[in-house]
Amino acid sequence: MKTNIRNWILSFLLASSIGSMQAQTADSLDIDTCEIDSIVELPYELPWPQNVQERLDTLTHNTLFERTQLGLMVYDLTADSTLYTYQAKQVLRPASTMKLLTAIAALDQLGTKYEFRTSLYYTGEVKDSVLTGDLYCVGGMDPLFGRNDMYAFVESVKALGIHTVRGRLVTVTNFKESEMLGEGWCWDDDNPTLTPLLYDGKDEFVSRFTQLLVGDSITLDAPVSEGTLPKDALMLCSRSHSIQEVLNPMMKDSNNLYAESMFFQIGASQGARPAKASHARQLIKRTLSKAGITGSQYKIADGSGLSLYNYVSAELLTKLLVYAYRNDRIYRDLYVSLPIAGEDGTLKKRMKDTPAQINVRAKTGTLTGISSLAGYAVAANNHVLAFSIINQGVLKNADGRNFQDKVCVALCK
């Protein structure tokens, strides 16, 4: 008994000491993009108390939380019971763990067979190798539309047997509202441009399309203008990518453009044109309600977590993860998209050579002063756990990541 008490005290002192260590490396970019989180290497072979709750108590008794905020919740999915909470109802900024709301709502509202689509239409007639009419580029905000897709568009124009387009090149961008930035985004961040017509994730669709047409000896006597698709337009080509193709890099690499595209797909799913952010928020709230999350103690601003107006709690994120776990069609695609500790995505360099490696799949989040992690863990007794950790007010994001990694080790050890 004395040995156990001594070990518990020792683990508390070690955890407190480690929690106050400063990272030796400079902070990296504070926006959670495609870059992989790094973590200060720390000893994990601590004399942990045997009880998981006591282990987490040891970690939360840390001087770090005298000056920062923490929201933490762990739910045992196998036992169907709450395992641990610490200020779980605190409303905090989620950073890129906001992508969990977008992903789960998309799988819930759109289904696993949904596709992101970009299409090319024309009107008029072809005579003597001249198209007297218009080309219509219809954007569906597909972030994966790239070189092969554009080549297919060009080939479909060539298949008309023409060498000249005499009319207009019309961009149809009424898929979403005209705002190119999200609500509450910082003007000096590296923000994606929210256009419905994308080429390689950039606002370069028209320039690339015209360049390739001219390169294939098709003369464009066609000014570029914006418009809507006429009912009598004929389809030349349509290219699409599945929701899973978009979801994987969105979650593994924390790609903000992919998340915003997913956000507006949700908004457009009920037929509204243009789709607005408010439409997406209403449908995400519908999924939250199905997960048992009611009331107004949260705020949804965007789909990526870039906005400083997003506010959720660790309890909300955990309940949503529980809902996803209980719905096979959601959980299957969500689980494979999450970064794996010590293996890939934004967790590739974290929790290596610890009990958490491979056993944790979770979404990271990083903004200035915010570090978060939420997902699933497999405990040593093979119980599946859902967890959420939000560290707010951490001036060194490594402090938050360090704490989160130790929590994951405590869950899996």
Side-chain angles (χ1 to χ4, degrees):
M1 181 66 178
K2 291 182 178 179
T3 300
N4 288 339
I5 294 174
R6 182 185 63 194
N7 287 343
W8 189 92
I9 293 173
L10 179 58
S11 67
F12 171 79
L13 293 174
L14 282 170
S16 298
S17 174
I18 291 168
S20 64
M21 291 175 64
Q22 294 184 345
Q24 299 300 312
T25 56
D27 283 341
S28 58
L29 183 66
D30 281 328
I31 297 300
D32 194 8
T33 62
C34 295
E35 300 206 6
I36 296 171
D37 287 344
S38 59
I39 184 66
V40 180
E41 293 296 330
L42 295 170
Y44 287 98
E45 291 304 318
L46 301 175
W48 292 104
Q50 294 302 306
N51 182 281
V52 173
Q53 287 88 348
E54 288 180 354
R55 296 178 194 170
L56 296 178
D57 281 339
T58 297
L59 294 174
T60 55
H61 283 78
N62 190 308
T63 56
L64 175 66
F65 305 120
E66 293 176 4
R67 61 184 186 276
T68 67
Q69 294 172 276
L70 168 66
L72 168 62
M73 183 169 179
V74 183
Y75 192 90
D76 189 328
L77 293 158
T78 305
D80 195 17
S81 62
T82 300
L83 187 63
Y84 191 85
T85 63
Y86 182 96
Q87 301 292 339
K89 295 182 183 293
Q90 284 278 339
V91 182
L92 307 169
R93 290 173 178 162
S96 275
T97 53
M98 194 71 185
K99 292 181 175 70
L100 284 167
L101 276 75
T102 305
I104 294 171
L107 291 169
D108 187 39
Q109 301 289 334
L110 305 177
T112 57
K113 295 182 179 181
Y114 183 85
E115 294 188 332
F116 295 60
R117 190 172 298 278
T118 308
S119 302
L120 180 65
Y121 292 79
Y122 80 101
T123 57
E125 61 178 0
V126 177
K127 186 176 181 180
D128 297 329
S129 300
V130 175
L131 170 63
T132 303
D134 302 327
L135 292 176
Y136 292 84
C137 304
V138 183
M141 205 175 181
D142 179 1
L144 289 175
F145 187 95
R147 183 178 61 180
N148 291 338
D149 303 299
M150 190 66 83
Y151 283 156
F153 270 30
V154 173
E155 288 298 318
S156 72
V157 175
K158 289 173 60 179
L160 289 173
I162 64 173
H163 58 63
T164 301
V165 177
R166 189 167 294 149
R168 298 177 301 157
L169 179 60
V170 183
T171 58
V172 182
T173 58
N174 62 349
F175 175 80
K176 64 171 290 292
E177 59 191 346
S178 60
E179 285 78 3
M180 293 297 182
L181 296 176
E183 179 184 341
W185 289 9
C186 292
W187 65 269
D188 56 348
D189 284 343
D190 184 18
N191 297 313
T193 301
L194 306 182
T195 175
L197 276 171
L198 291 161
Y199 176 77
D200 280 349
K202 299 177 182 177
D203 187 12
E204 298 176 355
F205 185 97
V206 172
S207 61
R208 186 61 176 161
F209 185 41
T210 55
Q211 179 187 8
L212 288 177
L213 285 172
V214 172
D216 268 336
S217 301
I218 297 177
T219 301
L220 282 176
D221 185 10
V224 178
S225 62
E226 290 190 18
T228 57
L229 184 68
K231 292 183 179 179
D232 61 345
L234 301 174
M235 181 182 289
L236 277 172
C237 187
S238 185
R239 303 286 288 185
S240 64
H241 294 93
S242 70
I243 191 172
Q244 191 63 60
E245 289 178 286
V246 177
L247 184 64
N248 283 350
M250 166 184 157
M251 303 299 276
K252 293 281 189 186
D253 303 325
S254 200
N255 189 295
N256 294 317
L257 173 63
Y258 289 27
E260 293 302 325
S261 178
M262 191 82 74
F263 184 71
F264 280 101
Q265 307 298 321
I266 297 170
S269 64
Q270 300 298 301
R273 294 294 183 275
K276 299 180 180 180
S278 58
H279 298 147
R281 293 178 193 126
Q282 285 302 118
L283 289 170
I284 291 174
K285 287 179 180 179
R286 186 179 299 177
T287 295
L288 291 176
S289 179
K290 291 164 70 174
I293 301 161
T294 57
S296 59
Q297 297 305 308
Y298 61 85
K299 180 173 175 58
I300 301 168
D302 66 8
S304 63
L306 280 173
S307 177
L308 299 181
Y309 299 165
N310 291 312
Y311 279 96
V312 302
S313 65
E315 180 184 61
L316 181 150
L317 289 174
T318 306
K319 283 186 174 182
L320 193 60
L321 288 164
V322 172
Y323 173 73
Y325 179 81
R326 290 172 176 169
N327 290 266
D328 288 344
R329 68 183 185 88
I330 297 175
Y331 183 69
R332 181 176 59 251
D333 285 347
L334 176 69
Y335 190 71
V336 298
S337 75
L338 292 172
I340 305 171
E343 296 292 319
D344 67 13
T346 54
L347 287 181
K348 185 175 183 178
K349 294 184 179 180
R350 293 175 60 172
M351 295 174 256
K352 276 188 172 294
D353 302 319
T354 75
Q357 182 170 354
I358 301 178
N359 287 316
V360 167
R361 291 186 180 231
K363 182 70 199 74
T364 58
T366 307
L367 284 172
T368 301
I370 307 294
S371 182
S372 55
L373 187 70
Y376 302 100
V378 179
N381 63 354
N382 289 322
H383 280 214
V384 180
L385 313 175
F387 70 91
S388 175
I389 313 165
I390 305 176
N391 293 99
Q392 181 168 285
V394 284
L395 298 183
K396 292 181 179 294
N397 290 127
D399 288 342
R401 294 193 295 266
N402 184 23
F403 172 78
Q404 294 153 19
D405 289 4
K406 289 190 286 184
V407 167
C408 289
V409 171
L411 296 178
C412 298
K413 190 174 176 66

